[in-house]
Amino acid sequence: MRSSFVKLSSLLILVLSLLPIHSSALTFTEDVKFTGIVQALPSGGFIGDWRVADKVVHASSSTIINHEDGVITVGATVKVEGFPRSDGSIDATEIELRQASPNPSPGDISFKGTIQSFPSSFVGDWQIGGKVIHATASTRIEAEVGPVAVGAFAEVKGTLRADGSMDATKIEIQSSATGGDGRSEITAIIEQLPSSGLIGDWQVGGRAIHVTSSTMINLEHGAAVVGALVEVKGSMRTDGSMDATSIEVKSGSSSGGGSGSGSGGGGQDDDRNELHGIVQSFPSGLIGDWSVSGRTVHVTSSTIINLEHGQVAVGVLVEVKGTTRADGSLDAATIEVKTASSVGSSSRSGEGDSLSVKGAIQTLPGDPTLIGDWKVKDRTIHVTTTTKLSTEHGAFSVGKSVKVKGLTLADGSVLATKVILRDSF
């Protein structure tokens, strides 16, 4: 009996001696949380290896996949929670959709636009907001607000095909062809632009859009060219045309351009992971959201900030590297101050040269203080709190002629020291 007890005790001691190794691994392995863009998905659904923000994420049958607010596709922004492996990959306990891809793969989508044509039986191909819409006998047509007619404003829901056309599950009329309900927002394709500049009448999704010097035009995501998708806000006239208060380019032309005129948004792609720009604002303590040349940069305690060439201040030139979110903002991994001040020197070729630009204002920032990126003569102009704005001849607005004095940056943009409003040149 005593011999059995000794053997049992020895076995128990042996088991317990092995436990601390495993227990220690569990105790000191901390869970990780991060948010990033989906770069790759498993071929057969969600179970398997994902790639999110340059990290391999292992999803199993026990991983909670939360996509209540949309469809998870490549390009979507997700939040990942899990435990790291020794190779740096992540065993995910939960993956949550934070923002759907701005350019979704075939999947459930919806958009709004003006009806340009439709088959008499409603079954067949429609043209709505510059898109081909395939309607079948099972497509729901809802026309409570008004009849189906060319010029009526409709919301389409369905799935996107690879060629950009759409299989409609539902087409809902949201305003009549007369526009009498005062609808103030449309999203559709640019079909025609004024022959010179952007001031004048546009044709967007089959509807005339009246653009004036007071219309705010946001070109952050691409140029205003025929074929580009835009969101227009304003007030409807009784003839169905629209007085635009703001126009935002949502995506560039699929053909890479087109007829008509327009200007780009600085020549930078939305999926870039590196940014050279001017600091326009930043939080005290540096942790939080910065604004760099009109782009939001998210800075955390893990962001490496290199101050070798100077301190962070409004107007300094910085280089930001990190991961781009679906909304175009940047999660910064590193930020390096490139100049000690906004007029400092730089090792970049051509940067710091004095320059004078004359031309008409093409775009202005939304900030009422005018701090931000302007577009003059197809060149990006960085206006900071140190820029002197001369309004001797009136207020700045799109279409007005200006003379810009400043310093050339490496990307060809100009850090403005002075902007003078002139009657003409």
Side-chain angles (χ1 to χ4, degrees), residues 97-141:
L97 176 67
R98 303 307 294 267
Q99 185 173 351
S101 170
N103 300 300
S105 302
D108 293 336
I109 64 167
S110 66
F111 88 103
K112 298 177 182 180
T114 303
I115 298 176
Q116 297 157 295
S117 65
F118 61 95
S120 57
S121 65
F122 297 161
V123 175
D125 287 351
W126 301 43
Q127 190 82 13
I128 300 178
K131 280 186 179 292
V132 175
I133 307 299
H134 310 289
T136 67
S138 62
T139 302
R140 287 173 55 194
I141 310 294

Side-chain angles (χ1 to χ4, degrees), residues 17-29:
S17 69
L18 296 175
L19 284 178
I21 299 173
H22 181 66
S23 175
S24 174
L26 291 175
T27 301
F28 295 101
T29 300

Side-chain angles (χ1 to χ4, degrees), residues 2 8 49 108 155 167 180 183 238 244 267 298 314 375 382 394 416:
R2 181 179 177 82
L8 182 59
D49 287 351
D108 293 336
E155 180 180 26
D167 291 309
R183 173 160 294 282
T238 56
H298 309 289
V314 171
K375 181 71 70 173
H382 306 293

Side-chain angles (χ1 to χ4, degrees), residues 220 268 272-283 286-305 312 316-325 327-336:
E220 181 182 354
Q268 294 171 314
R272 63 197 184 278
N273 291 322
E274 182 175 330
L275 170 67
H276 291 87
I278 303 300
V279 176
Q280 295 165 306
S281 66
F282 61 95
L286 304 183
I287 305 302
D289 287 351
W290 301 29
S291 181
V292 178
S293 290
R295 193 172 179 197
T296 299
V297 176
H298 309 289
V299 177
T300 68
S301 56
S302 62
T303 302
I304 299 172
I305 302 177
V312 176
V316 303
L317 177 69
V318 294
E319 177 185 79
V320 184
K321 293 182 180 179
T323 303
T324 303
R325 295 186 184 182
D327 62 1
S329 63
L330 190 67
D331 288 313
T334 64
I335 298 178
E336 181 181 355

Side-chain angles (χ1 to χ4, degrees), residues 226-300:
V226 171
L229 179 69
V230 292
E231 179 184 80
V232 184
K233 295 182 179 180
S235 57
M236 288 290 184
R237 297 186 182 181
T238 56
D239 62 0
S241 64
M242 187 172 178
D243 292 308
T245 55
S246 69
I247 299 176
E248 179 181 358
V249 177
K250 306 300 285 187
S251 66
S253 168
S254 60
S255 60
S259 60
S261 60
S263 59
Q268 294 171 314
D269 298 327
D270 287 335
D271 60 354
R272 63 197 184 278
N273 291 322
E274 182 175 330
L275 170 67
H276 291 87
I278 303 300
V279 176
Q280 295 165 306
S281 66
F282 61 95
S284 59
L286 304 183
I287 305 302
D289 287 351
W290 301 29
S291 181
V292 178
S293 290
R295 193 172 179 197
T296 299
V297 176
H298 309 289
V299 177
T300 68

Side-chain angles (χ1 to χ4, degrees), residues 9 13 24 56 63 77 94 104 106 112 127 136 143-144 189 207 224 248 259 278 280-281 307 315 326 354 399:
S9 299
I13 292 170
S24 174
V56 176
T63 302
T77 301
E94 183 175 356
K112 298 177 182 180
Q127 190 82 13
T136 67
E144 295 179 5
I189 302 297
R207 194 184 294 268
E248 179 181 358
S259 60
I278 303 300
Q280 295 165 306
S281 66
L307 305 178
S354 297

